[in-house]
Amino acid sequence: MRHIFTLLVSLWLQSCAYSIHQNHMGSFDESTATKGKIIKVDHKEQIIFADFTDVNWVDRSYQELMAKCPAGRIIGISTLYATDLGFFSWKERIRLEGSCITP
């Protein structure tokens, strides 16, 4: 009986949850909606025991998206912000996606 209890407690401590906090879609011009090249940036940040030393990871993700379209403009940017929860840690995820329109 003790082994079953230990197994259940260890499974409970390893449990996790997923949460989507925000999903935003930017506007775009209908005349240019199908002419662009789709660009994406996925970034993950692991946080253990509330260690918030890196607070600029979202800004770096945005700069990386902008660098993928240096000579054009980005329209229809969608942003997905989610969290994977674990035991005393979590992983924050952001996905930026847009359409690069070049002249």
Side-chain angles (χ1 to χ4, degrees), residues 49-67:
F49 293 113
D51 178 24
F52 298 108
T53 55
D54 185 12
V55 294
N56 296 321
W57 63 276
V58 175
D59 293 332
R60 285 194 308 273
S61 299
Y62 177 73
Q63 294 301 326
E64 186 179 334
L65 183 73
M66 298 302 285

Side-chain angles (χ1 to χ4, degrees), residues 1-99:
M1 184 68 166
R2 183 178 176 148
H3 295 294
I4 294 173
F5 178 75
T6 305
L7 177 67
L8 290 175
V9 168
S10 65
L11 288 175
W12 177 71
L13 290 176
Q14 295 299 321
S15 64
C16 58
Y18 300 95
S19 176
I20 296 176
H21 301 290
Q22 184 178 34
N23 191 3
H24 180 264
M25 181 67 181
S27 62
F28 54 89
D29 183 10
E30 291 179 19
S31 64
T32 59
T34 59
K35 297 179 183 177
K37 179 182 92 171
I38 301 296
I39 54 175
K40 296 179 191 177
V41 172
D42 286 317
H43 191 91
K44 301 171 189 157
E45 183 69 21
Q46 181 74 34
I47 299 173
I48 300 173
F49 293 113
D51 178 24
F52 298 108
T53 55
D54 185 12
V55 294
N56 296 321
W57 63 276
V58 175
D59 293 332
R60 285 194 308 273
S61 299
Y62 177 73
Q63 294 301 326
E64 186 179 334
L65 183 73
M66 298 302 285
K68 290 187 175 188
C69 187
R73 66 185 179 114
I74 303 173
I75 62 169
I77 297 176
S78 67
T79 306
L80 175 70
Y81 173 59
T83 303
D84 303 343
L85 301 173
F87 184 66
F88 286 123
S89 69
W90 63 91
K91 187 180 292 184
E92 293 183 333
R93 299 173 185 258
I94 191 165
R95 169 180 262 183
L96 303 171
E97 186 174 333
S99 184

